[in-house]
Amino acid sequence: MISIENISKWYGDFQVLTDCTTHVGKGEVVVVCGPSGSGKSTLIKCVNGLEPVQQGRILVEDADVTAKGTNLTRLRSRIGMVFQHFELYPHMSVRENLCLGQQKVLVRSRDEANAKAEALISRVGLLPHIEKFPGQLSGGQQQRVAISRALAMDPIAMLFDEPTSALDPEMINEVLDVMVELAQDGMTMMVVTHEMGFARKVADRVVFMDAGRVVEDRATEEFFGNPESERAQDFLSKILNH
Amino acid sequence: MGDFDLSVIWNNLPFLWQGLQLSLWLTLLAVIGGIILGTGLALMRLSGIMPLALAAAGYVNLIRSVPLILVIFWFYFLVPLALGRPIGGFYSALIAFVMFEAAYYSEIIRAGIQSVRKGQVHAGQATGLSYWQIQRYVVLPQAFRNMIPILVTQGIILFQDTSLVFVVSLRDFMTASSIVARTEGRLAEMYIFAALVYFTICFAGSLFVRRLQKAKTA
Amino acid sequence: MNYNWNWGVLFEGEYLGWLISGVGWTFAVALAAWVLALAVGVLVGVGRTLPSKPVATLCTAYVELFRNVPLLVQLFLWYFVMPEIVPDDLGRWMKRDMPNPEYVTAVIGLGLYTASRVAEQVRAGINAVGPGLTSAAYANGFSTAQTYRYVLLPISFRLIVPPMTSEFLTIFKNSSLALTIGLLELTAQSQQIAEYTFQGFEAFTAATVIYVVIALGATVIAQTLEKYTRIPGYVGKD
């Protein structure tokens, strides 16, 4: 469904991505991990064209994200994205956050959008908070709202950019639980995260990045069982040995 | 000295009040017009479309280099010439103020737009909203909320600026005070009174701004 | 639109002379007022940050007073009202014998008004240095005066170069208000040429171009100044 083919990207003279290739099949969950600054967040933002790439191409279903004539807004409306800092619209209530895209992009009626919003928000257990503003919610609650906002668009795939790294530790699980459930429902997901427990539980494959390159791209058990590269071994020992 | 005659103020109160109303109307309409035009200029500068951005930047920098009085003279001269008929001092002045203030408002609004986190634009893009939808529903509402105190401050400055229509004898509060001052021969009373009125309004305005800022940070 | 163009009018001896004299007065008012504004503005701005409550209050009052009354009203107060409310002898001297009263009034009025704006910039600059460095200076055993002299002022003056440039430009623009008390500076001269010749377009264009050149010049000077005063690696608080 998502296929990333040999992409490279520069910020001015600085190369952030070098010849990266990977793919996410329909219904697959792929976790992208690696040390900070390895380019994993940049990579995932390239998938829906938030960051342009200079070389290589990215296909989502049959649409080429990197081609000039592609209707990016249409393509983006079909892929949900969840951000590290939630990026809920602070001037809108939870309900309005969930309805804006539905009404303005998918041109759903107000009733239809509201019904969808209420259904999704009760699934993450936040129905009593639906009229509140993001600033009145905890970080974990905000991120669950953000996931619901993305799901409201009926996406064919979901991108997660470090969804738990801005959260206090006690709130991480409530967000991961939602994501696990989503994975078990068969959602296609690409997830940048350091949560290795989550990766072990639901990921089909793990992509390990370092210094802008894809160093390993393997099935989950293999990756955790015996990582090939020294850098991945090193990374895993640092992150797991607590 | 020592014989301050306050009755001159009392006797001319209706005339002065008319002047003050004109000042307030001019301020209100120029603030509205200036913000609308200023938003347009700011969006042009940030649109990434070179000719639009350059035109807006050129306009803003030009207007910000010249004194308001000169701009007022320009429009008093240009507006009747362009329309082929006189349209009255008030409208010429209003157009001059809108055109002038728009340049200042556009800089404020541009900074306000840039103060909205980039992630918010990303979030809008990720849901498939178009450029204009993102500006309309996500960026501008947040930008304006952040900017309200500065916009009000600029409104207070504009209110003070309206006194400059004195140079074309439009009867605002300043001109009215000056007319009374001269015809009654009471310069000291009238100009001190004018200063007090302006001070009271502007100081009250700045206290209001301070409350807005406190409310924002709280 | 019916209009007879005649750019030549600007170069006729008489009118060219008016323009040049106008530019001269604009500079004379703006520069002298700037010196006054800097002197008073720095004192008032520093005063607002001092630990002494009465001094700070007094300086705050100065800023609020001068900022909340239109410059035009202030000029009229200095020009028309001041001679009436000072002791009689002085008032008489101001009305009859003071040399060049329009100019002196414009400089004082514009200077003291701009001082309130300069004071705000100075205060903001000092506050931007932050309490950490102030504590460090006191911990070193510096007195308040020494803390300002060696730490706060040298840093804050560099920080406020950009906003001060904008104030410097504003004083040129605001010097046009001197025409309301009869000083024939640049804007007044262009208006006068427009009235005499009916060539408003040419006259106002000339004035506009000159103001733009002044603005560009000031910007260039400011950028140079900024380059030479920049502290390597220091960008202020945050």
Side-chain angles (χ1 to χ4, degrees):
Chain A
M1 172 162 309
I2 298 171
S3 152
I4 299 170
E5 301 171 3
N6 308 99
I7 63 165
S8 294
K9 177 179 174 62
W10 287 262
Y11 286 126
D13 288 338
F14 179 67
Q15 185 160 12
V16 277
L17 294 178
T18 309
D19 199 23
C20 294
T21 300
T22 186
H23 65 95
V24 185
K26 190 166 165 48
E28 243 186 339
V29 176
V30 173
V31 161
V32 183
C33 63
S36 60
S38 59
K40 51 197 192 304
S41 278
T42 310
L43 180 75
I44 201 169
K45 282 185 178 143
C46 291
V47 172
N48 62 351
L50 291 181
E51 297 279 357
V53 298
Q54 280 83 36
Q55 272 175 24
R57 63 174 193 165
I58 299 172
L59 298 177
V60 174
E61 290 207 301
D62 289 325
D64 186 346
V65 181
T66 43
K68 269 216 174 92
T70 310
N71 187 342
L72 271 182
T73 32
R74 220 188 91 72
L75 190 139
R76 284 172 184 150
S77 70
R78 301 170 62 211
I79 307 174
M81 185 159 195
V82 175
F83 298 86
Q84 182 178 0
H85 296 288
F86 331 133
E87 305 301 350
L88 292 174
Y89 308 130
H91 57 302
M92 295 180 181
S93 68
V94 168
R95 180 191 295 278
E96 289 167 320
N97 263 283
L98 264 72
C99 287
L100 181 69
Q102 294 190 66
Q103 289 182 263
K104 301 299 167 192
V105 179
L106 303 180
V107 213
R108 286 183 183 153
S109 73
R110 176 190 290 261
D111 290 344
E112 211 182 331
N114 268 324
K116 181 101 193 170
E118 284 164 19
L120 283 165
I121 221 66
S122 23
R123 250 180 65 186
V124 295
L126 293 173
L127 193 57
H129 302 289
I130 195 163
E131 307 302 345
K132 287 191 181 166
F133 286 85
Q136 298 170 297
L137 302 178
S138 73
Q141 291 173 325
Q142 289 192 53
Q143 196 61 299
R144 282 185 279 157
V145 172
I147 295 172
S148 307
R149 178 177 71 179
L151 291 173
M153 305 293 288
D154 292 321
I156 56 171
M158 289 280 286
L159 307 174
F160 293 84
D161 181 12
E162 305 207 29
T164 57
S165 53
L167 294 176
D168 292 334
E170 73 271 19
M171 294 174 181
I172 290 176
N173 278 331
E174 61 188 74
V175 171
L176 289 180
D177 288 346
V178 173
M179 291 169 62
V180 168
E181 203 177 305
L182 201 57
Q184 286 163 350
D185 285 352
M187 175 60 78
T188 306
M189 292 164 65
M190 184 167 174
V191 186
V192 173
T193 186
H194 292 301
E195 297 296 331
M196 290 301 118
F198 170 81
R200 273 204 166 129
K201 200 163 172 185
V202 296
D204 296 294
R205 290 204 338 279
V206 176
V207 171
F208 176 76
M209 292 185 68
D210 189 32
R213 289 171 192 275
V214 172
V215 180
E216 301 211 19
D217 180 354
R218 308 169 63 201
T220 307
E221 313 84 66
E222 287 180 39
F223 178 76
F224 286 108
N226 58 335
E228 266 171 12
S229 64
E230 224 168 86
R231 276 177 291 183
Q233 287 167 9
D234 190 37
F235 176 75
L236 279 177
S237 70
K238 274 184 191 147
I239 210 163
L240 294 175
N241 290 347
H242 282 300
Chain B
M1 199 38 223
D3 52 347
F4 248 54
D5 180 9
L6 294 178
S7 66
V8 64
I9 298 168
W10 182 249
N11 292 336
N12 290 286
L13 219 45
F15 181 69
L16 294 168
W17 170 235
Q18 275 186 353
L20 188 59
Q21 281 178 307
L22 188 141
S23 299
L24 293 171
W25 269 115
L26 188 58
T27 305
L28 182 70
L29 295 175
V31 165
I32 295 170
I35 288 179
I36 293 172
L37 189 58
T39 307
L41 286 167
L43 288 176
M44 279 167 75
R45 282 192 83 166
L46 297 171
S47 67
I49 305 166
M50 253 313 162
L52 282 186
L54 281 179
Y59 178 81
V60 169
N61 288 328
L62 174 68
I63 291 286
R64 286 167 60 93
S65 311
V66 294
L68 175 55
I69 294 184
L70 184 58
V71 176
I72 295 175
F73 283 156
W74 259 120
F75 282 93
Y76 260 68
F77 163 74
L78 274 184
V79 170
L81 198 68
L83 294 175
R85 64 192 166 85
I87 55 163
F90 182 78
Y91 291 102
S92 293
L94 178 58
I95 294 174
F97 273 91
V98 168
M99 301 298 277
F100 182 80
E101 297 295 335
Y104 290 82
Y105 273 119
S106 90
E107 288 294 274
I108 295 172
I109 293 164
R110 188 163 68 114
I113 291 175
Q114 286 170 331
S115 75
V116 176
R117 292 152 41 87
K118 202 178 163 207
Q120 288 284 311
V121 176
H122 275 167
Q125 286 176 333
T127 28
L129 293 169
S130 72
Y131 176 81
W132 294 111
Q133 285 176 324
I134 292 171
Q135 297 299 325
R136 162 78 183 77
Y137 297 108
V138 179
V139 175
L140 286 179
Q142 295 185 50
F144 273 104
R145 233 159 277 230
N146 296 340
M147 287 182 306
I148 285 171
I150 314 173
L151 290 176
V152 176
T153 302
Q154 184 65 23
I156 298 170
I157 295 171
L158 208 169
F159 175 62
Q160 295 189 17
D161 283 347
T162 57
S163 65
L164 293 185
V165 297
F166 175 82
V167 298
V168 287
S169 309
L170 188 65
R171 270 195 206 165
D172 73 322
F173 181 63
M174 184 64 205
T175 311
S177 304
S178 166
I179 290 172
V180 174
R182 273 159 223 275
T183 51
E184 307 264 354
R186 289 287 170 185
L187 298 179
E189 288 88 340
M190 285 318 297
Y191 289 135
I192 290 174
F193 175 66
L196 278 175
V197 170
Y198 277 113
F199 178 82
T200 308
I201 295 174
C202 298
F203 187 62
S206 67
L207 290 182
F208 176 62
V209 169
R210 230 163 284 169
R211 271 188 51 184
L212 284 178
Q213 280 165 333
K214 275 221 186 89
K216 227 181 72 178
T217 48
Chain C
M1 187 160 137
N2 272 322
Y3 190 80
N4 297 313
W5 298 96
N6 180 12
W7 291 98
V9 74
L10 296 176
F11 302 99
E12 283 167 27
E14 192 184 1
Y15 303 130
L16 183 64
W18 289 7
L19 274 181
I20 293 172
S21 137
V23 174
W25 281 114
T26 290
F27 269 88
V29 170
L31 293 179
W34 183 243
V35 173
L36 181 62
L38 276 184
V40 177
V42 169
L43 285 179
V44 174
V46 168
R48 284 193 78 175
T49 67
L50 287 177
S52 154
K53 193 92 185 167
V55 175
T57 309
L58 199 69
C59 293
T60 305
Y62 178 95
V63 171
E64 293 296 348
L65 186 64
F66 280 82
R67 231 180 22 170
N68 285 313
V69 175
L71 175 55
L72 177 59
V73 179
Q74 294 187 30
L75 284 180
F76 279 18
L77 287 178
W78 291 113
Y79 194 69
F80 295 117
V81 179
M82 211 53 179
E84 307 288 333
I85 58 174
V86 293
D88 283 348
D89 291 342
L90 184 57
R92 212 171 295 123
W93 178 80
M94 285 168 81
K95 282 194 231 174
R96 287 204 203 130
D97 303 322
M98 190 168 80
N100 227 335
E102 295 85 10
Y103 176 71
V104 174
T105 309
V107 168
I108 291 177
L110 183 57
L112 293 182
Y113 167 78
T114 308
S116 70
R117 303 171 56 116
V118 170
E120 278 304 87
Q121 303 296 353
V122 170
R123 180 176 75 113
I126 290 173
N127 286 342
V129 175
L133 275 181
T134 314
S135 311
Y138 282 130
N140 259 354
F142 284 165
S143 67
T144 303
Q146 285 172 322
T147 303
Y148 274 86
R149 164 72 185 79
Y150 297 111
V151 181
L152 290 177
L153 293 184
I155 300 175
S156 57
F157 281 173
R158 290 172 165 97
L159 291 179
I160 62 175
V161 168
M164 289 295 266
T165 312
S166 142
E167 290 305 328
F168 184 61
L169 271 181
T170 304
I171 212 168
F172 270 93
K173 290 184 274 176
N174 279 339
S175 70
S176 63
L177 266 75
L179 71 84
T180 59
I181 52 172
L183 186 80
L184 290 174
E185 44 64 71
L186 179 54
T187 302
Q189 292 288 14
S190 71
Q191 159 75 349
Q192 192 166 292
I193 295 173
E195 266 175 15
Y196 272 64
T197 64
F198 298 105
Q199 301 294 333
F201 209 97
E202 293 82 343
F204 296 139
T205 302
T208 304
V209 168
I210 295 169
Y211 278 114
V212 169
V213 170
I214 293 174
L216 288 177
T219 311
V220 170
I221 293 173
Q223 279 167 351
T224 324
L225 195 64
E226 218 179 313
K227 213 167 80 188
Y228 283 110
T229 56
R230 186 175 297 149
I231 307 170
Y234 185 81
V235 283
K237 193 164 73 173
D238 180 90

